PDB file of all heavy atoms in Angstrom:
ATOM      1  N   VAL E 216      51.595  88.117 -28.659  1.00 92.00           N
ATOM      2  CA  VAL E 216      52.589  87.093 -28.292  1.00 92.00           C
ATOM      3  C   VAL E 216      53.599  87.665 -27.303  1.00 92.00           C
ATOM      4  O   VAL E 216      54.016  86.996 -26.335  1.00 92.00           O
ATOM      5  CB  VAL E 216      53.282  86.558 -29.560  1.00 92.00           C
ATOM      6  CG1 VAL E 216      54.415  85.612 -29.188  1.00 92.00           C
ATOM      7  CG2 VAL E 216      52.274  85.843 -30.449  1.00 92.00           C
ATOM      8  N   THR E 217      54.022  88.905 -27.536  1.00 91.00           N
ATOM      9  CA  THR E 217      54.935  89.550 -26.587  1.00 91.00           C
ATOM     10  C   THR E 217      54.282  89.673 -25.220  1.00 91.00           C
ATOM     11  O   THR E 217      54.930  89.438 -24.181  1.00 91.00           O
ATOM     12  CB  THR E 217      55.337  90.927 -27.117  1.00 91.00           C
ATOM     13  OG1 THR E 217      55.904  90.789 -28.420  1.00 91.00           O
ATOM     14  CG2 THR E 217      56.358  91.565 -26.207  1.00 91.00           C
ATOM     15  N   ALA E 218      53.016  90.047 -25.187  1.00 91.00           N
ATOM     16  CA  ALA E 218      52.319  90.144 -23.906  1.00 91.00           C
ATOM     17  C   ALA E 218      52.222  88.793 -23.224  1.00 91.00           C
ATOM     18  O   ALA E 218      52.367  88.684 -21.992  1.00 91.00           O
ATOM     19  CB  ALA E 218      50.925  90.730 -24.121  1.00 91.00           C
ATOM     20  N   ALA E 219      51.976  87.721 -23.995  1.00 90.00           N
ATOM     21  CA  ALA E 219      51.932  86.383 -23.395  1.00 90.00           C
ATOM     22  C   ALA E 219      53.272  86.017 -22.779  1.00 90.00           C
ATOM     23  O   ALA E 219      53.338  85.438 -21.675  1.00 90.00           O
ATOM     24  CB  ALA E 219      51.530  85.366 -24.459  1.00 90.00           C
ATOM     25  N   ALA E 220      54.378  86.332 -23.488  1.00 90.00           N
ATOM     26  CA  ALA E 220      55.702  86.056 -22.924  1.00 90.00           C
ATOM     27  C   ALA E 220      55.926  86.874 -21.652  1.00 90.00           C
ATOM     28  O   ALA E 220      56.504  86.366 -20.671  1.00 90.00           O
ATOM     29  CB  ALA E 220      56.769  86.374 -23.966  1.00 90.00           C
ATOM     30  N   ASP E 221      55.474  88.124 -21.658  1.00 88.00           N
ATOM     31  CA  ASP E 221      55.626  88.941 -20.458  1.00 88.00           C
ATOM     32  C   ASP E 221      54.843  88.361 -19.292  1.00 88.00           C
ATOM     33  O   ASP E 221      55.323  88.373 -18.139  1.00 88.00           O
ATOM     34  CB  ASP E 221      55.144  90.369 -20.745  1.00 88.00           C
ATOM     35  CG  ASP E 221      56.104  91.110 -21.648  1.00 88.00           C
ATOM     36  OD1 ASP E 221      57.305  90.778 -21.621  1.00 88.00           O
ATOM     37  OD2 ASP E 221      55.659  92.015 -22.383  1.00 88.00           O
ATOM     38  N   VAL E 222      53.649  87.867 -19.563  1.00 88.00           N
ATOM     39  CA  VAL E 222      52.862  87.264 -18.486  1.00 88.00           C
ATOM     40  C   VAL E 222      53.573  86.035 -17.927  1.00 88.00           C
ATOM     41  O   VAL E 222      53.615  85.823 -16.710  1.00 88.00           O
ATOM     42  CB  VAL E 222      51.450  86.911 -19.003  1.00 88.00           C
ATOM     43  CG1 VAL E 222      50.699  86.052 -18.000  1.00 88.00           C
ATOM     44  CG2 VAL E 222      50.661  88.171 -19.298  1.00 88.00           C
ATOM     45  N   ALA E 223      54.138  85.220 -18.817  1.00 88.00           N
ATOM     46  CA  ALA E 223      54.866  84.040 -18.340  1.00 88.00           C
ATOM     47  C   ALA E 223      56.040  84.444 -17.464  1.00 88.00           C
ATOM     48  O   ALA E 223      56.293  83.827 -16.410  1.00 88.00           O
ATOM     49  CB  ALA E 223      55.349  83.217 -19.545  1.00 88.00           C
ATOM     50  N   VAL E 224      56.784  85.467 -17.890  1.00 88.00           N
ATOM     51  CA  VAL E 224      57.913  85.930 -17.076  1.00 88.00           C
ATOM     52  C   VAL E 224      57.409  86.520 -15.757  1.00 88.00           C
ATOM     53  O   VAL E 224      58.021  86.317 -14.703  1.00 88.00           O
ATOM     54  CB  VAL E 224      58.738  86.953 -17.866  1.00 88.00           C
ATOM     55  CG1 VAL E 224      59.829  87.547 -16.995  1.00 88.00           C
ATOM     56  CG2 VAL E 224      59.349  86.301 -19.093  1.00 88.00           C
ATOM     57  N   ALA E 225      56.309  87.278 -15.805  1.00 86.00           N
ATOM     58  CA  ALA E 225      55.787  87.861 -14.574  1.00 86.00           C
ATOM     59  C   ALA E 225      55.345  86.803 -13.582  1.00 86.00           C
ATOM     60  O   ALA E 225      55.413  87.013 -12.369  1.00 86.00           O
ATOM     61  CB  ALA E 225      54.616  88.784 -14.913  1.00 86.00           C
ATOM     62  N   LEU E 226      54.875  85.658 -14.082  1.00 83.00           N
ATOM     63  CA  LEU E 226      54.443  84.592 -13.181  1.00 83.00           C
ATOM     64  C   LEU E 226      55.576  83.707 -12.709  1.00 83.00           C
ATOM     65  O   LEU E 226      55.533  83.172 -11.594  1.00 83.00           O
ATOM     66  CB  LEU E 226      53.379  83.742 -13.882  1.00 83.00           C
ATOM     67  CG  LEU E 226      52.069  84.467 -14.257  1.00 83.00           C
ATOM     68  CD1 LEU E 226      51.147  83.519 -14.993  1.00 83.00           C
ATOM     69  CD2 LEU E 226      51.387  85.015 -13.011  1.00 83.00           C
ATOM     70  N   ARG E 227      56.623  83.524 -13.548  1.00 82.00           N
ATOM     71  CA  ARG E 227      57.686  82.568 -13.241  1.00 82.00           C
ATOM     72  C   ARG E 227      59.048  83.220 -13.071  1.00 82.00           C
ATOM     73  O   ARG E 227      60.025  82.527 -12.792  1.00 82.00           O
ATOM     74  CB  ARG E 227      57.788  81.526 -14.359  1.00 82.00           C
ATOM     75  CG  ARG E 227      56.539  80.692 -14.552  1.00 82.00           C
ATOM     76  CD  ARG E 227      56.307  79.770 -13.379  1.00 82.00           C
ATOM     77  NE  ARG E 227      55.136  78.911 -13.595  1.00 82.00           N
ATOM     78  CZ  ARG E 227      54.725  78.005 -12.715  1.00 82.00           C
ATOM     79  NH1 ARG E 227      55.385  77.832 -11.570  1.00 82.00           N
ATOM     80  NH2 ARG E 227      53.649  77.273 -12.964  1.00 82.00           N
ATOM     81  N   GLY E 228      59.166  84.520 -13.293  1.00 80.00           N
ATOM     82  CA  GLY E 228      60.459  85.172 -13.288  1.00 80.00           C
ATOM     83  C   GLY E 228      61.105  85.177 -11.910  1.00 80.00           C
ATOM     84  O   GLY E 228      60.455  84.977 -10.880  1.00 80.00           O
ATOM     85  N   ARG E 229      62.454  85.424 -11.932  1.00 80.00           N
ATOM     86  CA  ARG E 229      63.234  85.431 -10.707  1.00 80.00           C
ATOM     87  C   ARG E 229      63.375  86.867 -10.216  1.00 80.00           C
ATOM     88  O   ARG E 229      63.909  87.709 -10.928  1.00 80.00           O
ATOM     89  CB  ARG E 229      64.608  84.842 -10.949  1.00 80.00           C
ATOM     90  CG  ARG E 229      65.523  84.870  -9.710  1.00 80.00           C
ATOM     91  CD  ARG E 229      66.933  84.464 -10.061  1.00 80.00           C
ATOM     92  NE  ARG E 229      66.997  83.089 -10.543  1.00 80.00           N
ATOM     93  CZ  ARG E 229      68.131  82.495 -10.918  1.00 80.00           C
ATOM     94  NH1 ARG E 229      69.277  83.179 -10.887  1.00 80.00           N
ATOM     95  NH2 ARG E 229      68.113  81.248 -11.359  1.00 80.00           N
ATOM     96  N   GLY E 230      62.910  87.141  -9.039  1.00 79.00           N
ATOM     97  CA  GLY E 230      63.086  88.454  -8.434  1.00 79.00           C
ATOM     98  C   GLY E 230      61.900  89.371  -8.669  1.00 79.00           C
ATOM     99  O   GLY E 230      61.175  89.269  -9.655  1.00 79.00           O
ATOM    100  N   THR E 231      61.758  90.295  -7.712  1.00 83.00           N
ATOM    101  CA  THR E 231      60.637  91.232  -7.790  1.00 83.00           C
ATOM    102  C   THR E 231      60.794  92.208  -8.945  1.00 83.00           C
ATOM    103  O   THR E 231      59.826  92.544  -9.635  1.00 83.00           O
ATOM    104  CB  THR E 231      60.516  92.009  -6.473  1.00 83.00           C
ATOM    105  OG1 THR E 231      60.405  91.081  -5.383  1.00 83.00           O
ATOM    106  CG2 THR E 231      59.298  92.917  -6.481  1.00 83.00           C
ATOM    107  N   ALA E 232      62.022  92.690  -9.184  1.00 84.00           N
ATOM    108  CA  ALA E 232      62.247  93.647 -10.254  1.00 84.00           C
ATOM    109  C   ALA E 232      61.896  93.061 -11.617  1.00 84.00           C
ATOM    110  O   ALA E 232      61.304  93.725 -12.475  1.00 84.00           O
ATOM    111  CB  ALA E 232      63.696  94.122 -10.242  1.00 84.00           C
ATOM    112  N   VAL E 233      62.261  91.791 -11.829  1.00 86.00           N
ATOM    113  CA  VAL E 233      61.950  91.133 -13.093  1.00 86.00           C
ATOM    114  C   VAL E 233      60.440  91.024 -13.275  1.00 86.00           C
ATOM    115  O   VAL E 233      59.887  91.301 -14.358  1.00 86.00           O
ATOM    116  CB  VAL E 233      62.622  89.752 -13.155  1.00 86.00           C
ATOM    117  CG1 VAL E 233      62.196  88.998 -14.405  1.00 86.00           C
ATOM    118  CG2 VAL E 233      64.127  89.909 -13.123  1.00 86.00           C
TER     119      VAL E 233
END
Side-chain angles (χ1 to χ4, degrees):
V216 174
T217 304
D221 288 333
V222 169
V224 174
L226 297 177
R227 299 291 183 180
R229 177 188 297 180
T231 305
V233 174

